[in-house]
């Protein structure tokens, strides 16, 4: 326990430092000085926003145009904390801390962060549907108006209103199948760390918007709603970790890592518990609270894991399952229930809205049986497991994946920061390229050898095409300055050629070792 507390303190301290440095680097890329006082203050403010520690007056705005994009500003902090959590987990394991979390897997981390990239990029195309619906209803049907009222009271009402609405939206996303289809993306990881917080569905806003509409009808101004929706979301980032232990009496007031670990668990006692965003009191009030059991380790994921790192399956598998169930329904009423009852509902037991709890699969207690089989999906990449002594192939392919994923993160940040200078076609192309790249990375992690075709096509044709359109916008000049032409040449020619060389080197090494292994097995 002492080790975990030390890990918590280290994570907080290093998080502030890492976020500050990353924010400064971002500022420098935009021709600003490295870590000037203003950027330092913003870095500290950005860190505090992750815990909902803000000044109500400085986060109160008269119009939506004045509201900053706090989520976009937090992206460097996300990255810093992801890296720092890995360091803390490694430290806890090396120091022999009891029940130290397992180190994050590369495949699962990229699957989670990739889902967040898909969500962010898709919203650049579809727009913020939730906010648009809120503004329309507020503008046309609001019963009251709070403009000109004391900002502090409106701010507090917004805090409580958004958090209360989030509880019910989150509960609906678990207890209605159509809602679960848009939310299961966040739960279908078998790991639980800070990257899991970024594992978001691009369709969820099309379901949850309705739960916020009462606030619009009651006249809560859209700027206050927009601010607290972002702050509520940012607060939920830090609770996705196994590093932080139970934090005493606060467990009964706010949402914590311990409470949220229960929410993400697939142990029977964890199902449909702890829906809170910030205040756990909603769960206590409405009977959905459950504390973490000290004698039963939480296992994460969904009751029937999807066993793939394909980003499209991660986002859409439950939508597809609902469509198939509706298609094969024997009546209109059954089809309706397949959509609007719980994910576990069956026509054989129609009175059980959420399904039969007895049907929830049991999971082993890893505290009592640490070596129990838990159905962990972790396939080999082209047969390159450590046991096959294919260190060279593993290193090459892992390096290829990491380099491409880092580029993907930078690309989506570039598109979001330069959005006003980019055409819709360029944004669509960049989004499609991000999804395509994540698909090929998912194929690598799934051990799908068809990736050789798709990755060659992506690097040989799609990459240069997308880079051509991106560099024609003029936005590149604001980033690279006098080095623009050299950067364009690297992006359009050097990077894809280097990627092809590295990828095929990894493939050839993998296939050579695999052939040698088969020959050796036959000889034996």
């Amino acid at each position: 326990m002492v080790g975990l507390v030390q890990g918590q303190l280290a994570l907080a301290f290093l998080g502030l430092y890492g976020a500050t440095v990353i924010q400064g680097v971002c500022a420098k890329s935009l021709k600003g000085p490295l870590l000037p006082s203003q950027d330092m203050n913003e870095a500290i403010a950005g860190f505090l926003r992750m815990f909902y520690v803000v000044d109500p007056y400085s986060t109160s705005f008269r119009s939506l145009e004045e509201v900053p994009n706090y989520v976009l500003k937090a992206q460097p902090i996300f990255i810093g904390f992801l890296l720092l959590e890995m360091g803390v987990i490694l430290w806890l394991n090396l120091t022999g801390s009891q029940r130290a979390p397992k180190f994050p897997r590369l495949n699962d981390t990229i699957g989670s962060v990739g889902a967040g990239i898909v969500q962010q990029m898709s919203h650049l195309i579809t727009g913020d549907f939730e906010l648009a619906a809120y503004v329309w209803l507020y503008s046309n049907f609001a019963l009251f108006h709070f403009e000109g009222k004391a900002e502090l009271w409106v701010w507090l009402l917004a805090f409580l209103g958004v958090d209360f609405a989030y509880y019910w939206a989150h509960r609906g996303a678990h207890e209605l199948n159509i809602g679960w289809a848009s939310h299961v993306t966040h739960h279908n990881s078998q790991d639980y760390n800070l990257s899991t917080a970024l594992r978001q569905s691009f369709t969820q806003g099309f379901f949850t918007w309705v739960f916020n509409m009462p606030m619009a009808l009651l006249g809560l101004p859209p700027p206050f709603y927009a601010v607290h929706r972002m702050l509520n979301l940012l607060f939920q980032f830090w609770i996705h970790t196994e590093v932080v232990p139970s934090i005493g009496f606060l467990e009964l007031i706010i949402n914590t890592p311990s409470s949220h670990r229960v929410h993400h668990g697939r142990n029977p006692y964890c199902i449909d518990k702890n829906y809170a965003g910030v205040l756990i009191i909603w769960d206590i009030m409405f009977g959905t609270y459950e504390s973490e059991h000290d004698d039963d380790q939480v296992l994460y994921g969904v009751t029937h894991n999807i066993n793939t790192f394909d980003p499209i399956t991660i986002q859409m598998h439950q939508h597809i399952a609902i469509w198939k169930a509706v298609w094969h329904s024997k009546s209109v009423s059954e089809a309706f229930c397949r959509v609007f009852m719980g994910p576990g509902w069956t026509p054989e037991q129609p009175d059980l809205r959420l399904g039969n709890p007895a049907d929830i699969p049991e999971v082993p207690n890893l505290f009592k049986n640490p070596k129990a089989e838990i159905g962990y999906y972790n396939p080999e990449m082209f047969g390159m497991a450590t046991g096959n002594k294919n260190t060279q192939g593993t290193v090459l392919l892992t390096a290829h994946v990491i380099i491409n994923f880092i580029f993907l993160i930078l690309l989506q940040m570039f598109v979001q920061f330069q959005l006003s200078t980019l055409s819709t076609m360029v944004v669509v192309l960049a989004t499609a390229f991000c999804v395509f790249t994540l698909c090929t990375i998912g194929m690598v992690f799934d051990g799908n050898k068809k990736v050789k075709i798709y990755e060659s096509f992506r690097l040989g044709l799609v990459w240069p095409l997308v880079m051509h359109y991106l560099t024609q916008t003029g936005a590149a000049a604001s980033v690279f300055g006098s080095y623009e032409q050299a950067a364009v040449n690297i992006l359009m020619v050097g990077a894809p050629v280097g990627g092809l060389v590295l990828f095929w080197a990894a493939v050839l090494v993998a296939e050579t070792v695999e052939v040698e292994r088969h020959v050796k097995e036959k000889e034996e």
Side-chain angles (χ1 to χ4, degrees):
M1 181 64 72
V2 173
L4 286 174
V5 174
Q6 291 172 336
Q8 176 187 2
L9 296 174
L11 184 63
F13 173 76
L14 293 174
L16 176 58
Y17 177 78
T20 301
V21 172
I22 293 173
Q23 291 274 27
V25 171
C26 291
K28 187 174 183 179
S29 71
L30 297 175
K31 305 300 181 183
L34 183 62
L35 295 179
S37 59
Q38 183 177 354
D39 289 334
M40 178 69 80
N41 292 337
E42 174 55 29
I44 294 173
F47 172 78
L48 294 176
R49 279 196 295 267
M50 305 299 292
F51 303 94
Y52 226 123
V53 180
V54 296
D55 173 19
Y57 294 100
S58 64
T59 51
S60 298
F61 303 94
R62 296 294 182 181
S63 68
L64 283 173
E65 289 73 20
E66 299 173 8
V67 177
N69 188 336
Y70 291 132
V71 176
L72 181 58
K73 286 187 172 186
Q75 283 199 17
I77 300 177
F78 293 155
I79 297 170
F81 266 97
L82 286 173
L83 296 174
L84 292 165
E85 183 192 38
M86 293 179 189
V88 172
I89 291 174
L90 179 61
W91 174 54
L92 291 174
N93 279 276
L94 291 176
T95 54
S97 175
Q98 291 184 343
R99 299 186 181 182
K102 66 177 182 294
F103 196 77
R105 296 178 296 160
L106 179 65
N107 48 20
D108 188 84
T109 298
I110 288 182
S112 293
V113 179
I117 291 175
V118 171
Q119 183 225 32
Q120 289 292 303
M121 294 296 286
S122 64
H123 283 183
L124 298 181
I125 301 171
T126 62
D128 192 335
F129 178 80
E130 280 187 281
L131 184 58
Y134 189 98
V135 170
W136 179 82
L137 196 66
Y138 172 85
S139 300
N140 292 280
F141 301 101
L143 300 176
F144 309 100
H145 291 278
F146 290 94
E147 286 89 349
K149 306 296 183 183
E151 288 182 347
L152 179 60
W153 289 108
V154 178
W155 192 96
L156 291 172
L157 284 173
F159 164 70
L160 292 172
V162 168
D163 200 48
F164 182 70
Y166 177 86
Y167 170 84
W168 287 106
H170 195 185
R171 185 168 178 172
H174 279 259
E175 297 188 1
L176 302 175
N177 207 9
I178 187 62
W180 181 238
S182 67
H183 183 62
V184 67
T185 297
H186 185 61
H187 283 267
N188 55 28
S189 166
Q190 290 182 276
D191 292 352
Y192 188 77
N193 50 59
L194 292 178
S195 72
T196 312
L198 306 180
R199 196 181 185 100
Q200 299 291 328
S201 166
F202 76 92
T203 65
Q204 185 163 320
F206 296 102
F207 168 77
T208 55
W209 67 274
V210 68
F211 293 89
N212 296 308
M213 293 308 103
M215 288 184 290
L217 288 173
L218 291 174
L220 184 70
F224 287 85
Y225 162 72
V227 166
H228 284 279
R229 189 181 61 153
M230 287 188 285
L231 293 177
N232 194 288
L233 178 65
L234 292 178
F235 178 87
Q236 294 178 56
F237 177 75
W238 76 278
I239 63 177
H240 289 82
T241 185
E242 293 185 286
V243 169
V244 181
S246 175
I247 52 178
F249 72 93
L250 288 177
E251 296 288 342
L252 299 178
I253 302 174
I254 63 171
N255 200 3
T256 66
S258 178
S259 293
H260 209 60
R261 285 193 288 268
V262 172
H263 177 72
H264 273 260
R266 57 187 172 96
N267 311 52
Y269 86 88
C270 297
I271 303 297
D272 296 334
K273 299 296 182 181
N274 299 355
Y275 297 116
V278 176
L279 299 176
I280 202 70
I281 58 174
W282 309 125
D283 284 290
I284 296 173
M285 288 172 59
F286 298 110
T288 52
Y289 176 73
E290 183 67 47
S291 60
E292 191 173 17
H293 293 189
D294 292 333
D295 59 350
D296 189 3
Q297 182 173 336
V298 177
L299 295 180
Y300 306 105
V302 289
T303 55
H304 300 89
N305 286 306
I306 59 176
N307 294 336
T308 184
F309 296 104
D310 172 58
I312 296 176
T313 303
I314 288 173
Q315 292 279 348
M316 301 300 295
H317 68 94
Q318 188 67 11
H319 295 86
I320 295 171
I322 291 176
W323 171 254
K324 289 180 178 178
V326 169
W327 183 260
H328 293 99
S329 295
K330 298 177 181 178
S331 65
V332 174
S333 62
E334 181 185 338
F336 178 86
C337 291
R338 292 287 190 186
V339 176
F340 294 104
M341 289 295 185
W345 182 89
T346 63
E348 290 75 25
Q349 296 176 302
D351 296 333
L352 297 177
R353 181 176 67 86
L354 300 180
N356 191 342
D359 294 336
I360 298 173
E362 291 289 335
V363 298
N365 189 319
L366 294 186
F367 289 154
K368 297 178 180 179
N369 185 10
K371 296 182 179 180
E373 174 59 42
I374 60 173
Y376 210 47
Y377 181 71
N378 200 35
E380 301 175 4
M381 298 190 296
F382 291 133
M384 295 190 297
T386 304
N388 296 331
K389 294 182 171 57
N390 194 351
T391 304
Q392 298 91 339
T394 303
V395 169
L396 287 173
L397 197 55
T398 300
H400 175 77
V401 167
I402 291 175
I403 290 170
N404 277 271
F405 189 65
I406 290 174
F407 176 79
L408 205 64
I409 292 174
L410 295 174
L411 173 62
Q412 64 87 27
M413 291 180 71
F414 170 80
V415 171
Q416 292 200 67
F417 279 110
Q418 299 291 334
L419 185 61
S420 61
T421 67
L422 303 177
S423 68
T424 302
M425 185 190 76
V426 171
V427 174
V428 171
L429 274 176
T431 301
F433 178 76
C434 288
V435 174
F436 192 5
T437 301
L438 290 169
C439 284
T440 59
I441 292 175
M443 293 174 76
V444 169
F445 287 142
D446 285 338
N448 187 340
K449 295 187 178 181
K450 291 182 180 179
V451 72
K452 291 183 287 186
I453 299 173
Y454 291 102
E455 185 68 344
S456 298
F457 176 68
R458 184 183 74 88
L459 290 170
L461 182 62
V462 179
W463 182 306
L465 179 66
V466 173
M467 291 305 109
H468 168 74
Y469 281 104
L470 275 173
T471 54
Q472 294 300 308
T473 62
S478 65
V479 176
F480 300 112
S482 60
Y483 299 100
E484 179 185 6
Q485 189 56 51
V488 168
N489 292 336
I490 292 173
L491 287 173
M492 290 189 61
V493 181
V497 170
L500 280 169
V501 171
L502 181 58
F503 175 72
W504 276 102
V507 170
L508 292 175
V509 170
E511 292 182 342
T512 300
V513 172
E514 192 171 0
V515 169
E516 292 175 352
R517 183 177 61 179
H518 288 314
V519 171
K520 186 175 181 179
E521 289 175 352
K522 288 182 180 180
E523 291 177 350
E524 294 176 351

